[in-house]
């Protein structure tokens, strides 16, 4: 009997120790609140990469080749918790001991690195249907940590932290302070981090929850995988910088002349800069099609530059002849010194539907398309440039001319290659809720989601 009492007491002790080791209840978390889908996240902009000079801007199409960018891809310290109560609470503190943690590649999906279980499902949610709630005992959590130092020449610049895509709800901490929160697993999230940075080594911590209230909107027919699955990097801008732009490259009614329109946003977080020169150049190979230069005072906040130009006998873009022009933006100070350069490829085309027929540049087009998920047999949702190019090569060999992005936006490289090699792209927002039974019950799968 005494031995039985001892065993019983020991069992109670171990159970109590287990409970004490659990994290406290997460009351009213952001990831179960439909009113909150981001905290401190930057407004989205066009995808653009800043270079120090014109030559670099025209030669490159990747952030990795600019001194204004610093990759945070690679090996991170990683902790996997099978449920919310098991997550580490104070992991974001700089002095937190991660010596017992494992290492994980970023980008990656943690289910393919040995943590948790990949789930394939279509209509049925992989958790009980009770929006906006997710059972805490089945919601796995990945905690990430790494260190970095910023370059010395970034001292007087604005610094941003960029996540290309994170599958799940994400909390971001820098040097023990919360930077922000983000939902939306297939679109970039950026945070302005100047006030959190310090000289020397910086401690970056990220906690990702597999499911959130946003998961009710992401009920696509595909493998459900988790983690940081696109690029992570820092980038720096001058106080006065090109913030965003919108380009329309249309054709006139004769489909012969190009109609170019541009809205360019300049942002300035410092003092008023007088005599800033904004140069806009359109290039056909090495030949200048046009160049305009505007001098203006860039005040604190946002300054907008608008421009329009007609281009006679323009080379048009279509899937068979994907002619592209290089559009170059150059910022110069009042002395004419280049402070920033950005380039982008654009194509002139007109899309119309007339008499129930799809027309490109006035000509009827038969769409021969495919659906394309982000999926690799080894790396899951992490899609390399090599795989993207191989997919497009095989599509071209089989006379495919259109790609439906099922069912969410792709990474930036995909769109550049679609422009370059000639594909009509049907883009999609990352929204699908047919697991709620809110669509036509006579249909199923993607048909019900359209």
């Amino acid at each position: 009997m005494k031995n039985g009492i001892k065993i019983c007491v020991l069992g109670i002790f171990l159970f109590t120790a287990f409970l004490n080791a659990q994290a406290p209840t997460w009351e009213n978390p952001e990831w179960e609140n439909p009113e909150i889908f981001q905290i401190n996240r930057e407004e989205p902009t066009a995808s653009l990469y800043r270079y120090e000079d014109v030559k670099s801007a025209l030669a490159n199409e990747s952030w990795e080749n600019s001194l204004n960018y610093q990759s945070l891809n690679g090996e991170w310290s990683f902790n996997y918790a099978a449920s919310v109560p098991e997550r580490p609470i104070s992991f974001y503190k700089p002095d937190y001991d991660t010596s017992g943690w494992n290492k994980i590649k970023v980008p990656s999906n943690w289910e393919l690195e040995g943590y948790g279980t990949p789930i394939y499902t279509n209509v049925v949610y992989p958790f009980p249907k009770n929006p906006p709630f997710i059972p805490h005992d089945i919601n796995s959590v990945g905690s990430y940590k790494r260190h970095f130092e910023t370059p010395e020449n970034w001292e007087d610049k604005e610094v941003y932290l960029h996540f290309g895509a994170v599958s799940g709800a994400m909390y971001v901490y820098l040097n023990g302070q919360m930077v922000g929160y983000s939902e939306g697993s297939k679109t970039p999230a950026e945070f302005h981090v100047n006030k959190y940075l310090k000289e020397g080594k910086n401690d970056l911590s990220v906690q990702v929850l597999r499911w959130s209230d946003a998961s009710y909107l992401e009920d696509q027919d595909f493998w459900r995988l988790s983690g940081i699955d696109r690029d992570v990097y820092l980038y720096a801008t001058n106080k006065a910088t090109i913030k965003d732009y919108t380009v329309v490259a249309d054709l006139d009614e004769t489909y012969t002349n190009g109609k170019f329109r541009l809205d360019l946003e300049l942002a300035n977080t410092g003092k008023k800069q007088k005599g800033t020169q904004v140069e806009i150049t359109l290039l056909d190979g090495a030949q200048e099609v046009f160049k305009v230069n505007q001098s203006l005072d860039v005040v604190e906040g946002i300054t907008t530059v608008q421009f329009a130009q007609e281009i006679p006998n323009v080379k048009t873009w279509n899937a068979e002849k994907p002619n592209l022009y290089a559009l170059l933006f150059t910022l110069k100070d009042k002395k004419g010194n280049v402070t920033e350069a950005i380039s982008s490829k654009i194509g002139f085309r007109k899309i119309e539907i007339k008499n129930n027929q799809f027309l490109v540049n006035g000509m009827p087009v038969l769409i021969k398309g495919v659906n394309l998920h982000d999926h690799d047999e080894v790396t899951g949702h992490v899609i390399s440039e090599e795989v993207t190019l191989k997919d497009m090569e095989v599509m071209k060999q089989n006379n495919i001319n259109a790609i439906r992005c099922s069912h969410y936006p792709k990474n930036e490289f995909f769109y550049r290659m679609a422009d370059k090699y000639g594909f009509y792209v049907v883009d999609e927002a990352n929204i699908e809720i047919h697991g709620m039974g809110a669509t036509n019950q006579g249909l199923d799968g993607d048909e019900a989601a359209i």
Side-chain angles (χ1 to χ4, degrees):
M1 179 64 70
K2 290 182 180 181
N3 289 338
I5 293 174
K6 289 180 181 179
I7 293 173
C8 182
V9 171
L10 178 61
I12 292 172
F13 173 78
L14 291 174
F15 181 69
T16 303
F18 171 77
L19 290 178
N20 290 335
Q22 302 295 288
T25 302
W26 202 333
E27 297 288 350
N28 302 314
E30 289 82 359
W31 49 273
E32 290 183 324
N33 185 344
E35 300 297 322
I36 301 175
F37 56 89
Q38 63 87 18
I39 298 173
N40 291 336
R41 197 172 66 191
E42 291 292 298
E43 290 290 327
T45 67
S47 299
L48 52 91
Y49 305 125
R50 298 167 178 86
Y51 296 88
E52 302 76 25
D53 56 75
V54 168
K55 183 179 179 181
S56 298
L58 289 174
N60 296 297
E61 293 184 327
S62 171
W63 57 270
E64 295 173 294
N65 299 320
S66 170
L67 297 178
N68 293 321
Y69 293 77
Q70 179 177 333
S71 176
L72 296 181
N73 292 343
E75 195 174 76
W76 292 50
S77 296
F78 180 72
N79 172 273
Y80 173 78
S83 69
V84 168
E86 297 176 61
R87 76 196 189 281
I89 296 295
S90 56
F91 83 106
Y92 60 89
K93 295 181 179 179
D95 60 353
Y96 188 88
D97 182 14
T98 60
S99 59
W101 287 21
N102 294 320
K103 300 293 184 179
I104 196 169
K105 293 180 296 184
V106 170
S108 69
N109 294 121
W110 70 55
E111 292 86 358
L112 299 181
E113 298 296 321
Y115 306 95
T117 305
I119 298 175
Y120 177 85
T121 183
N122 181 6
V123 176
V124 179
Y125 287 111
F127 43 78
K129 186 169 63 176
N130 182 28
F133 304 107
I134 303 290
H136 292 206
D137 59 342
I138 64 169
N139 195 6
S140 54
V141 180
S143 301
Y144 299 76
K145 284 183 78 74
R146 67 158 293 157
H147 297 99
F148 66 85
E149 295 186 19
T150 56
E152 292 182 2
N153 63 342
W154 286 14
E155 184 176 348
D156 296 324
K157 296 190 175 187
E158 303 294 338
V159 181
Y160 297 85
L161 174 60
H162 172 100
F163 294 85
V166 178
S167 290
M170 170 180 64
Y171 291 85
V172 180
Y173 304 84
L174 188 55
N175 296 320
Q177 300 182 71
M178 181 174 167
V179 173
Y181 170 80
S182 179
E183 296 175 7
S185 66
K186 294 299 181 183
T187 47
E190 293 186 345
F191 303 93
H192 185 217
V193 296
N194 280 63
K195 69 178 181 180
Y196 309 102
L197 288 170
K198 65 179 184 179
E199 290 186 8
K201 186 171 70 172
N202 288 268
D203 182 85
L204 176 60
S205 305
V206 179
Q207 197 159 68
V208 178
L209 292 103
R210 186 174 197 182
W211 314 119
S212 71
D213 51 2
S215 302
Y216 284 96
L217 304 179
E218 299 179 351
D219 189 37
Q220 291 93 346
D221 175 12
F222 72 141
W223 283 95
R224 314 302 169 92
L225 302 172
S226 318
I228 303 172
D229 49 23
R230 290 183 187 168
D231 292 328
V232 184
Y233 55 75
L234 296 163
Y235 71 91
T237 73
N238 299 321
K239 299 296 183 183
T241 184
I242 296 173
K243 183 68 173 179
D244 197 7
Y245 68 91
T246 302
V247 172
V248 177
D250 201 357
L251 299 175
D252 66 7
E253 291 74 14
T254 68
Y255 308 107
T256 302
N257 304 311
K259 297 173 66 176
F260 175 87
R261 298 194 304 275
L262 169 69
D263 289 330
L264 184 66
E265 283 190 3
L266 307 179
N268 184 14
T269 58
K271 297 179 181 179
K272 179 179 179 180
Q273 297 197 10
K274 296 183 178 180
T276 296
Q277 299 176 48
V278 181
E279 189 173 270
I280 303 164
T281 310
L282 189 69
L283 296 159
D284 180 10
Q287 181 181 356
E288 285 187 5
V289 178
F290 70 74
K291 177 185 284 187
V292 293
N293 194 305
Q294 182 175 344
S295 180
L296 70 164
D297 296 338
V298 181
V299 299
E300 185 176 357
I302 299 294
T303 301
T304 301
V305 176
Q306 295 180 317
F307 175 74
Q309 178 81 23
E310 183 166 302
I311 304 166
N313 299 313
V314 73
K315 294 179 180 178
T316 58
W317 183 100
N318 60 33
E320 288 73 37
K321 294 182 179 180
N323 295 305
L324 293 174
Y325 291 79
L327 178 62
L328 174 67
F329 306 113
T330 309
L331 286 189
K332 301 179 181 180
D333 62 22
K334 60 184 179 182
K335 296 180 180 180
N337 300 311
V338 174
T339 60
E340 183 175 275
I342 293 169
S343 71
S344 177
K345 295 292 196 306
I346 64 170
F348 287 84
R349 84 288 180 272
K350 182 181 283 292
I351 306 296
E352 300 170 294
I353 296 178
K354 291 184 176 180
N355 299 320
N356 295 323
Q357 192 160 29
F358 177 69
L359 306 178
V360 177
N361 306 335
M363 301 296 293
V365 171
L366 176 63
I367 291 293
K368 294 167 284 187
V370 295
N371 297 321
L372 181 65
H373 262 299
D374 279 359
H375 190 82
D376 183 281
E377 61 181 335
V378 176
T379 59
H381 294 175
V382 182
I383 305 302
S384 68
E385 294 183 0
E386 292 75 16
V387 166
T388 297
L389 291 174
K390 184 63 176 178
D391 281 344
M392 290 186 175
E393 178 185 358
V394 173
M395 291 178 199
K396 279 293 181 180
Q397 291 170 348
N398 288 275
N399 297 316
I400 299 300
N401 65 2
I403 302 172
R404 176 191 176 206
C405 297
S406 52
H407 302 281
Y408 36 75
K410 305 298 185 188
N411 60 52
E412 294 89 341
F413 180 78
F414 167 87
Y415 297 102
R416 293 201 303 271
M417 295 304 101
D419 287 345
K420 180 177 181 178
Y421 293 110
F423 288 96
Y424 305 114
V425 174
V426 181
D427 219 348
E428 291 196 8
N430 188 20
I431 300 174
E432 194 160 327
I433 60 169
H434 56 343
M436 294 303 299
T439 52
N440 295 327
Q441 297 301 306
L443 303 175
D444 60 9
D446 295 333
E447 291 177 322
I450 293 175

